[in-house]
Coordinates of all heavy atoms in Angstrom, one line a residue:
S119 N 0.8 -1.2 0.0 CA 0.0 0.0 0.0 C 0.9 1.2 0.0 O 1.8 1.3 -0.7 CB -0.9 0.1 1.2 OG -1.8 -0.9 1.4
G120 N 0.5 2.2 0.9 CA 1.3 3.4 0.9 C 0.7 4.5 0.1 O -0.3 4.3 -0.6
C121 N 1.3 5.6 0.0 CA 0.7 6.8 -0.7 C 1.4 6.8 -2.1 O 2.2 7.6 -2.4 CB 1.0 8.1 0.0 SG 0.1 8.1 1.6
D122 N 0.9 5.9 -3.0 CA 1.5 5.8 -4.3 C 0.5 6.2 -5.4 O 0.8 6.0 -6.6 CB 2.0 4.4 -4.5 CG 1.0 3.4 -4.3 OD1 -0.2 3.7 -4.2 OD2 1.3 2.2 -4.3
G123 N -0.6 6.8 -5.1 CA -1.6 7.1 -6.1 C -2.5 6.0 -6.6 O -3.2 6.1 -7.6
N124 N -2.4 4.9 -5.9 CA -3.2 3.7 -6.3 C -4.5 3.6 -5.4 O -4.6 4.2 -4.4 CB -2.4 2.4 -6.2 CG -1.3 2.3 -7.2 OD1 -1.4 2.9 -8.3 ND2 -0.3 1.6 -6.9
C125 N -5.3 2.8 -5.9 CA -6.6 2.5 -5.2 C -6.4 1.3 -4.3 O -6.1 0.2 -4.8 CB -7.7 2.2 -6.3 SG -9.3 2.1 -5.7
H126 N -6.7 1.5 -3.0 CA -6.4 0.4 -2.1 C -7.6 0.1 -1.2 O -8.4 1.0 -0.8 CB -5.3 0.8 -1.1 CG -4.0 1.0 -1.8 ND1 -3.2 0.0 -2.3 CD2 -3.3 2.2 -2.1 CE1 -2.1 0.5 -2.9 NE2 -2.2 1.8 -2.8
D127 N -7.8 -1.1 -0.9 CA -8.8 -1.6 0.1 C -8.3 -2.9 0.5 O -7.5 -3.6 -0.1 CB -10.2 -1.7 -0.6 CG -11.2 -2.1 0.4 OD1 -11.6 -1.3 1.3 OD2 -11.7 -3.2 0.3
A128 N -8.9 -3.4 1.6 CA -8.5 -4.7 2.1 C -8.7 -5.8 1.1 O -8.0 -6.8 1.0 CB -9.3 -5.1 3.4
N129 N -9.8 -5.7 0.3 CA -10.1 -6.7 -0.7 C -9.9 -6.2 -2.1 O -10.2 -6.9 -3.1 CB -11.6 -7.0 -0.6 CG -11.9 -7.6 0.8 OD1 -11.2 -8.4 1.3 ND2 -13.0 -7.1 1.4
L130 N -9.3 -5.1 -2.3 CA -9.1 -4.5 -3.7 C -7.8 -3.8 -3.8 O -7.5 -2.9 -3.0 CB -10.2 -3.5 -4.1 CG -10.0 -2.7 -5.4 CD1 -10.1 -3.7 -6.6 CD2 -10.9 -1.6 -5.5
I131 N -6.9 -4.3 -4.7 CA -5.7 -3.5 -5.0 C -5.7 -3.4 -6.5 O -5.7 -4.3 -7.2 CB -4.5 -4.2 -4.5 CG1 -4.5 -4.4 -3.0 CG2 -3.2 -3.5 -4.9 CD1 -3.3 -5.2 -2.4
G132 N -5.8 -2.1 -6.9 CA -5.8 -1.9 -8.4 C -5.0 -0.7 -8.7 O -4.4 0.0 -7.8
N133 N -4.9 -0.3 -10.0 CA -4.2 0.9 -10.3 C -5.1 2.1 -10.2 O -6.2 2.0 -9.8 CB -3.5 0.7 -11.7 CG -4.6 0.6 -12.8 OD1 -5.7 1.0 -12.7 ND2 -4.2 -0.1 -13.9
S134 N -4.5 3.2 -10.5 CA -5.3 4.5 -10.3 C -6.5 4.6 -11.2 O -7.4 5.4 -10.9 CB -4.4 5.7 -10.5 OG -3.9 5.7 -11.9
T135 N -6.6 3.7 -12.2 CA -7.9 3.7 -13.0 C -8.9 2.9 -12.4 O -10.1 3.0 -12.6 CB -7.6 3.3 -14.5 OG1 -7.1 2.0 -14.4 CG2 -6.7 4.2 -15.2
C136 N -8.5 1.9 -11.6 CA -9.4 0.9 -10.9 C -10.3 0.2 -11.9 O -10.3 0.5 -13.1 CB -10.2 1.6 -9.8 SG -9.2 2.3 -8.5
E137 N -10.9 -0.8 -11.4 CA -11.9 -1.5 -12.2 C -13.1 -0.6 -12.3 O -13.5 0.1 -11.4 CB -12.3 -2.8 -11.4 CG -11.2 -3.6 -10.8 CD -10.2 -4.0 -11.8 OE1 -10.4 -5.0 -12.5 OE2 -9.1 -3.5 -11.8
P138 N -13.8 -0.6 -13.5 CA -15.0 0.2 -13.7 C -16.1 0.1 -12.6 O -16.8 1.0 -12.4 CB -15.5 -0.2 -15.1 CG -14.3 -0.9 -15.7 CD -13.5 -1.5 -14.6
A139 N -16.2 -1.1 -12.0 CA -17.2 -1.3 -11.0 C -16.9 -0.7 -9.7 O -17.7 -0.6 -8.8 CB -17.5 -2.8 -10.8
F140 N -15.7 -0.2 -9.5 CA -15.3 0.3 -8.2 C -15.0 1.9 -8.2 O -14.6 2.4 -9.2 CB -14.0 -0.3 -7.7 CG -14.2 -1.8 -7.5 CD1 -13.7 -2.7 -8.4 CD2 -14.8 -2.2 -6.3 CE1 -13.9 -4.1 -8.1 CE2 -15.0 -3.6 -6.1 CZ -14.5 -4.5 -7.0
D141 N -15.3 2.5 -7.2 CA -15.1 3.9 -7.0 C -13.9 4.1 -6.1 O -13.9 3.7 -5.0 CB -16.3 4.6 -6.4 CG -16.1 6.1 -6.1 OD1 -15.1 6.7 -6.6 OD2 -17.0 6.6 -5.5
C142 N -12.8 4.7 -6.6 CA -11.6 4.9 -5.8 C -11.8 5.6 -4.5 O -11.2 5.3 -3.5 CB -10.5 5.6 -6.6 SG -9.6 4.5 -7.8
A143 N -12.7 6.6 -4.5 CA -12.9 7.3 -3.3 C -13.5 6.4 -2.2 O -13.1 6.6 -1.0 CB -13.9 8.5 -3.5
Q144 N -14.2 5.4 -2.6 CA -14.8 4.5 -1.6 C -13.7 3.6 -1.1 O -13.7 3.1 0.1 CB -15.8 3.6 -2.3 CG -16.4 2.6 -1.4 CD -17.5 1.7 -2.1 OE1 -17.8 2.0 -3.3 NE2 -17.9 0.7 -1.5
F145 N -12.6 3.4 -1.8 CA -11.6 2.5 -1.5 C -10.3 3.2 -1.2 O -9.2 2.6 -1.4 CB -11.4 1.4 -2.6 CG -12.5 0.5 -2.7 CD1 -13.4 0.7 -3.8 CD2 -12.8 -0.5 -1.8 CE1 -14.5 -0.1 -3.9 CE2 -13.9 -1.3 -2.0 CZ -14.7 -1.1 -3.0
N146 N -10.3 4.4 -0.7 CA -9.1 5.2 -0.3 C -8.2 5.4 -1.5 O -7.1 4.9 -1.6 CB -8.3 4.5 0.8 CG -7.1 5.3 1.3 OD1 -7.1 6.5 1.1 ND2 -6.2 4.7 1.8
F147 N -8.7 6.2 -2.5 CA -7.8 6.6 -3.6 C -6.8 7.6 -3.0 O -7.1 8.7 -2.7 CB -8.6 7.2 -4.7 CG -7.6 7.6 -5.8 CD1 -7.1 6.6 -6.6 CD2 -7.4 8.9 -6.1 CE1 -6.2 7.0 -7.6 CE2 -6.5 9.3 -7.1 CZ -5.9 8.3 -7.9
D148 N -5.6 7.1 -2.8 CA -4.6 7.9 -2.0 C -3.9 8.9 -2.9 O -2.8 8.6 -3.4 CB -3.7 7.0 -1.3 CG -2.9 6.0 -2.2 OD1 -3.0 6.1 -3.4 OD2 -2.3 5.1 -1.7
G149 N -4.4 10.0 -3.0 CA -3.8 11.1 -3.8 C -2.6 11.6 -3.1 O -2.0 12.6 -3.5
G150 N -2.1 11.0 -2.0 CA -0.9 11.5 -1.3 C -1.0 11.4 0.2 O -0.1 11.0 0.8
D151 N -2.2 11.7 0.8 CA -2.3 11.6 2.2 C -3.1 10.4 2.6 O -4.3 10.4 2.5 CB -3.0 12.9 2.7 CG -3.1 12.9 4.3 OD1 -2.6 12.0 4.9 OD2 -3.8 13.8 4.8
C152 N -2.4 9.4 3.0 CA -3.1 8.1 3.4 C -3.4 8.1 4.9 O -3.8 7.0 5.4 CB -2.3 6.9 3.0 SG -2.1 6.8 1.3
S153 N -3.1 9.1 5.6 CA -3.1 9.1 7.1 C -4.5 9.2 7.7 O -4.7 9.0 8.8 CB -2.3 10.2 7.7 OG -2.8 11.5 7.3
H154 N -5.5 9.6 6.8 CA -6.8 9.9 7.4 C -8.0 9.5 6.5 O -8.0 9.9 5.3 CB -6.9 11.4 7.8 CG -8.2 11.7 8.5 ND1 -8.4 11.3 9.8 CD2 -9.3 12.4 8.1 CE1 -9.6 11.8 10.1 NE2 -10.2 12.4 9.1
L155 N -8.9 8.7 7.0 CA -10.1 8.4 6.3 C -11.1 9.5 6.4 O -11.5 9.9 7.6 CB -10.7 7.1 6.9 CG -12.0 6.6 6.3 CD1 -11.8 6.1 4.8 CD2 -12.5 5.4 7.1
P156 N -11.6 10.1 5.4 CA -12.6 11.2 5.5 C -13.8 10.9 6.3 O -14.4 9.8 6.1 CB -13.0 11.5 4.0 CG -11.9 11.0 3.2 CD -11.4 9.8 4.0
G157 N -14.1 11.7 7.3 CA -15.2 11.5 8.2 C -14.9 10.7 9.4 O -15.7 10.6 10.4
D158 N -13.7 10.1 9.5 CA -13.2 9.3 10.6 C -12.6 10.2 11.7 O -11.4 10.4 11.8 CB -12.2 8.3 10.2 CG -11.8 7.4 11.4 OD1 -12.5 7.3 12.4 OD2 -10.7 6.7 11.2
I159 N -13.5 10.8 12.5 CA -13.1 11.8 13.5 C -12.2 11.3 14.5 O -11.2 11.9 14.9 CB -14.3 12.5 14.1 CG1 -15.3 13.0 13.1 CG2 -13.9 13.5 15.1 CD1 -14.7 14.1 12.2
N160 N -12.5 10.1 15.0 CA -11.7 9.5 16.1 C -10.5 8.7 15.6 O -9.7 8.2 16.5 CB -12.5 8.7 17.1 CG -13.1 7.5 16.5 OD1 -13.0 7.2 15.3 ND2 -13.8 6.7 17.3
G161 N -10.3 8.5 14.3 CA -9.2 7.8 13.8 C -9.1 6.3 14.0 O -8.0 5.7 14.0
D162 N -10.3 5.7 14.2 CA -10.3 4.2 14.4 C -10.4 3.4 13.1 O -10.5 2.2 13.2 CB -11.4 3.8 15.4 CG -12.8 4.0 14.9 OD1 -13.0 4.6 13.7 OD2 -13.8 3.7 15.6
G163 N -10.4 4.1 12.0 CA -10.5 3.4 10.7 C -11.9 3.2 10.2 O -12.1 2.5 9.2
H164 N -12.9 3.7 10.9 CA -14.3 3.5 10.6 C -15.0 4.8 10.7 O -14.7 5.6 11.6 CB -15.0 2.5 11.5 CG -14.3 1.2 11.5 ND1 -14.4 0.2 10.5 CD2 -13.4 0.6 12.4 CE1 -13.7 -0.8 10.8 NE2 -13.1 -0.6 11.9
V165 N -16.0 5.0 9.9 CA -16.9 6.2 10.0 C -18.2 5.7 10.5 O -18.9 5.0 9.7 CB -17.0 7.0 8.6 CG1 -17.9 8.2 8.8 CG2 -15.6 7.4 8.1
N166 N -18.6 6.0 11.7 CA -19.8 5.5 12.3 C -20.3 6.5 13.4 O -20.0 7.6 13.4 CB -19.5 4.1 12.9 CG -18.3 4.1 13.8 OD1 -18.0 5.1 14.5 ND2 -17.6 3.0 13.9
I167 N -21.2 5.9 14.2 CA -21.9 6.7 15.3 C -20.9 7.4 16.2 O -21.1 8.5 16.7 CB -22.9 5.9 16.0 CG1 -23.8 6.8 16.9 CG2 -22.2 4.8 16.8 CD1 -24.7 7.7 16.1
T168 N -19.8 6.8 16.5 CA -18.8 7.4 17.4 C -18.2 8.7 16.8 O -18.1 9.7 17.5 CB -17.6 6.4 17.6 OG1 -18.1 5.2 18.0 CG2 -16.6 6.9 18.6
D169 N -18.1 8.7 15.5 CA -17.6 9.9 14.8 C -18.7 11.0 14.8 O -18.4 12.2 15.0 CB -17.1 9.6 13.4 CG -16.1 8.6 13.4 OD1 -15.0 8.9 13.9 OD2 -16.3 7.5 12.9
L170 N -19.9 10.6 14.6 CA -21.0 11.6 14.6 C -21.2 12.2 16.0 O -21.4 13.4 16.1 CB -22.3 10.9 14.2 CG -23.5 11.7 13.8 CD1 -23.1 12.6 12.6 CD2 -24.6 10.9 13.4
L171 N -21.0 11.4 17.0 CA -21.1 11.9 18.4 C -20.0 12.8 18.8 O -20.1 13.7 19.5 CB -21.2 10.7 19.4 CG -22.5 9.9 19.3 CD1 -22.4 8.6 20.2 CD2 -23.7 10.7 19.7
A172 N -18.8 12.6 18.2 CA -17.7 13.5 18.4 C -17.9 14.8 17.8 O -17.6 15.8 18.4 CB -16.4 12.9 17.8
V173 N -18.6 14.9 16.7 CA -19.0 16.2 16.1 C -20.0 16.9 17.0 O -19.9 18.1 17.3 CB -19.6 16.0 14.6 CG1 -20.2 17.3 14.1 CG2 -18.5 15.4 13.7
V174 N -21.0 16.1 17.5 CA -22.0 16.7 18.4 C -21.3 17.3 19.6 O -21.6 18.4 20.1 CB -23.1 15.7 18.7 CG1 -24.0 16.2 19.8 CG2 -23.9 15.3 17.5
A175 N -20.4 16.5 20.2 CA -19.7 16.9 21.4 C -18.9 18.2 21.2 O -18.7 19.0 22.1 CB -18.8 15.8 21.9
A176 N -18.4 18.4 20.0 CA -17.6 19.6 19.7 C -18.4 20.7 19.0 O -17.8 21.7 18.6 CB -16.4 19.2 18.8
W177 N -19.7 20.6 19.0 CA -20.6 21.5 18.3 C -20.3 23.0 18.6 O -20.2 23.3 19.8 CB -22.0 21.2 18.6 CG -23.0 21.8 17.6 CD1 -23.6 23.0 17.8 CD2 -23.4 21.2 16.4 NE1 -24.4 23.2 16.7 CE2 -24.4 22.1 15.9 CE3 -23.2 20.0 15.7 CZ2 -25.0 21.9 14.6 CZ3 -23.8 19.8 14.6 CH2 -24.7 20.7 14.0
G178 N -20.1 23.8 17.6 CA -20.0 25.2 17.8 C -18.5 25.7 18.0 O -18.3 26.9 18.0
L179 N -17.6 24.8 18.2 CA -16.2 25.2 18.3 C -15.6 25.7 17.0 O -16.0 25.3 16.0 CB -15.3 24.0 18.8 CG -15.7 23.4 20.2 CD1 -14.8 22.2 20.5 CD2 -15.5 24.5 21.2
A180 N -14.8 26.7 17.2 CA -14.2 27.4 16.0 C -12.7 27.1 16.0 O -12.1 26.8 17.1 CB -14.5 28.9 16.0
G181 N -12.1 27.3 14.9 CA -10.6 27.0 14.8 C -10.3 25.6 14.5 O -11.2 24.8 14.3
P182 N -9.0 25.3 14.4 CA -8.7 23.9 14.0 C -9.2 22.9 15.1 O -9.0 23.1 16.3 CB -7.1 23.9 14.0 CG -6.8 25.4 13.9 CD -7.9 26.1 14.5
H183 N -9.9 21.9 14.7 CA -10.4 20.9 15.6 C -10.6 19.6 14.8 O -11.1 19.7 13.7 CB -11.7 21.3 16.2 CG -12.1 20.6 17.4 ND1 -12.7 19.3 17.3 CD2 -12.0 20.8 18.7 CE1 -13.0 18.8 18.5 NE2 -12.5 19.7 19.4
E184 N -10.3 18.5 15.4 CA -10.5 17.2 14.7 C -11.9 16.9 14.3 O -12.2 16.2 13.3 CB -9.9 16.0 15.5 CG -10.6 15.8 16.9 CD -10.0 16.6 18.0 OE1 -9.0 17.3 17.8 OE2 -10.5 16.5 19.2
A185 N -12.9 17.5 15.0 CA -14.3 17.3 14.7 C -14.8 18.2 13.5 O -15.9 18.0 13.0 CB -15.2 17.5 15.9
D186 N -13.9 19.1 13.1 CA -14.2 20.0 11.9 C -13.9 19.1 10.7 O -12.9 19.3 10.0 CB -13.4 21.2 12.0 CG -13.7 22.2 10.8 OD1 -14.7 22.0 10.2 OD2 -12.9 23.1 10.6
A187 N -14.8 18.2 10.3 CA -14.5 17.3 9.3 C -14.3 17.9 7.9 O -13.6 17.4 7.1 CB -15.7 16.3 9.2
N188 N -15.0 19.0 7.6 CA -14.8 19.7 6.3 C -13.8 20.8 6.3 O -13.6 21.5 5.3 CB -16.2 20.2 5.8 CG -16.7 21.3 6.6 OD1 -16.2 21.7 7.7 ND2 -17.8 21.9 6.1
N189 N -13.1 21.0 7.5 CA -12.0 21.9 7.6 C -12.4 23.4 7.2 O -11.6 24.1 6.6 CB -10.8 21.5 6.8 CG -10.2 20.2 7.3 OD1 -10.0 20.1 8.5 ND2 -10.0 19.3 6.4
D190 N -13.6 23.8 7.6 CA -14.0 25.2 7.3 C -13.8 26.1 8.6 O -14.2 27.2 8.5 CB -15.4 25.3 6.8 CG -16.5 24.9 7.8 OD1 -16.1 24.4 9.0 OD2 -17.7 25.1 7.6
G191 N -13.2 25.5 9.7 CA -13.0 26.3 10.8 C -14.1 26.4 11.8 O -14.0 27.1 12.8
L192 N -15.2 25.7 11.6 CA -16.3 25.7 12.5 C -16.9 24.3 12.6 O -17.2 23.7 11.5 CB -17.4 26.7 12.1 CG -18.6 26.9 13.0 CD1 -18.1 27.4 14.4 CD2 -19.5 27.8 12.3
V193 N -17.2 23.8 13.8 CA -17.9 22.5 13.9 C -19.4 22.7 13.9 O -19.9 23.4 14.8 CB -17.4 21.7 15.2 CG1 -18.1 20.4 15.3 CG2 -15.9 21.6 15.2
N194 N -20.1 22.2 12.9 CA -21.5 22.5 12.8 C -22.2 21.4 11.9 O -21.6 20.3 11.7 CB -21.7 23.9 12.2 CG -21.0 24.0 10.8 OD1 -20.8 23.1 10.1 ND2 -20.8 25.3 10.4
I195 N -23.4 21.7 11.4 CA -24.2 20.7 10.7 C -23.4 20.3 9.4 O -23.6 19.1 9.0 CB -25.6 21.3 10.3 CG1 -26.5 20.3 9.7 CG2 -25.4 22.5 9.4 CD1 -26.9 19.2 10.6
L196 N -22.6 21.1 8.8 CA -21.9 20.7 7.7 C -20.9 19.5 8.0 O -20.7 18.6 7.1 CB -21.1 21.9 7.0 CG -22.0 23.0 6.5 CD1 -21.1 24.2 6.0 CD2 -23.0 22.5 5.5
D197 N -20.4 19.5 9.2 CA -19.5 18.4 9.6 C -20.3 17.2 9.8 O -19.8 16.1 9.5 CB -18.7 18.8 10.8 CG -17.9 20.1 10.5 OD1 -17.0 20.0 9.6 OD2 -18.1 21.1 11.2
Q198 N -21.5 17.3 10.4 CA -22.4 16.1 10.6 C -22.7 15.5 9.2 O -22.6 14.3 9.0 CB -23.7 16.5 11.3 CG -23.5 16.6 12.8 CD -24.9 16.7 13.4 OE1 -25.8 17.3 12.9 NE2 -25.0 16.1 14.6
L199 N -23.1 16.4 8.3 CA -23.4 15.9 6.9 C -22.2 15.2 6.3 O -22.3 14.2 5.6 CB -23.9 17.0 6.1 CG -25.3 17.6 6.6 CD1 -25.6 18.8 5.7 CD2 -26.4 16.6 6.5
F200 N -21.0 15.8 6.5 CA -19.8 15.2 5.9 C -19.6 13.8 6.5 O -19.2 12.9 5.7 CB -18.6 16.1 6.3 CG -17.3 15.7 5.6 CD1 -17.0 16.2 4.4 CD2 -16.4 14.8 6.2 CE1 -15.8 15.9 3.8 CE2 -15.3 14.4 5.6 CZ -14.9 15.0 4.4
V201 N -19.7 13.6 7.8 CA -19.5 12.3 8.4 C -20.6 11.3 7.9 O -20.2 10.2 7.5 CB -19.6 12.4 10.0 CG1 -19.7 11.0 10.6 CG2 -18.4 13.2 10.5
V202 N -21.8 11.8 7.8 CA -22.9 10.9 7.3 C -22.6 10.5 5.8 O -22.8 9.3 5.4 CB -24.3 11.5 7.4 CG1 -25.3 10.8 6.7 CG2 -24.6 11.7 8.9
A203 N -22.1 11.4 5.0 CA -21.8 11.1 3.6 C -20.7 10.1 3.5 O -20.6 9.4 2.4 CB -21.4 12.4 2.9
H204 N -19.8 10.0 4.5 CA -18.7 9.0 4.4 C -18.9 7.8 5.3 O -18.0 7.0 5.5 CB -17.4 9.7 4.8 CG -17.0 10.7 3.7 ND1 -17.5 12.1 3.8 CD2 -16.3 10.7 2.6 CE1 -17.0 12.7 2.8 NE2 -16.3 11.9 2.0
W205 N -20.2 7.7 5.8 CA -20.5 6.6 6.7 C -20.2 5.2 6.1 O -20.4 5.0 4.9 CB -22.0 6.7 7.0 CG -22.5 5.9 8.2 CD1 -22.8 4.6 8.2 CD2 -22.7 6.5 9.5 NE1 -23.2 4.3 9.5 CE2 -23.2 5.4 10.3 CE3 -22.6 7.7 10.0 CZ2 -23.6 5.6 11.6 CZ3 -22.9 7.9 11.3 CH2 -23.4 6.9 12.1
G206 N -19.8 4.3 7.0 CA -19.7 2.9 6.5 C -18.3 2.3 6.5 O -17.3 2.5 6.6

């Protein structure tokens, strides 16, 4: 694996074009930063209720924060929607 511009998943290893049936974004298309799964607030490798609750707990905070999933400088509904969009 690693940050080589390829499409990676536990069950899929392909090149950057991937198989037509697969979406690289779903399988961590690593454009360079492989350190973080989008929407995975707590860094456990899954986007689930724990991440959604972390956003709720940090609601309204401004500035850099791990719960600011969309990196706009504010933890709000947009971050909740970001987590839900990457759920699973």
Side-chain angles (χ1 to χ4, degrees):
S119 299
C121 297
D122 56 10
N124 289 335
C125 187
H126 299 286
D127 182 71
N129 300 316
L130 170 71
I131 298 177
N133 62 30
S134 59
T135 60
C136 297
E137 316 300 286
F140 296 103
D141 175 11
C142 281
Q144 179 182 352
F145 294 102
N146 183 25
F147 181 71
D148 57 9
D151 179 9
C152 296
S153 63
H154 185 71
L155 178 66
D158 182 16
I159 305 301
N160 66 355
D162 68 355
H164 304 281
V165 180
N166 54 29
I167 191 66
T168 308
D169 302 297
L170 198 57
L171 291 174
V173 171
V174 171
W177 196 268
L179 294 178
H183 195 281
E184 61 271 1
D186 182 15
N188 68 351
N189 294 312
D190 68 352
L192 183 63
V193 180
N194 58 22
I195 188 67
L196 297 177
D197 301 299
Q198 277 191 326
L199 294 173
F200 187 91
V201 169
V202 170
H204 293 88
W205 198 275

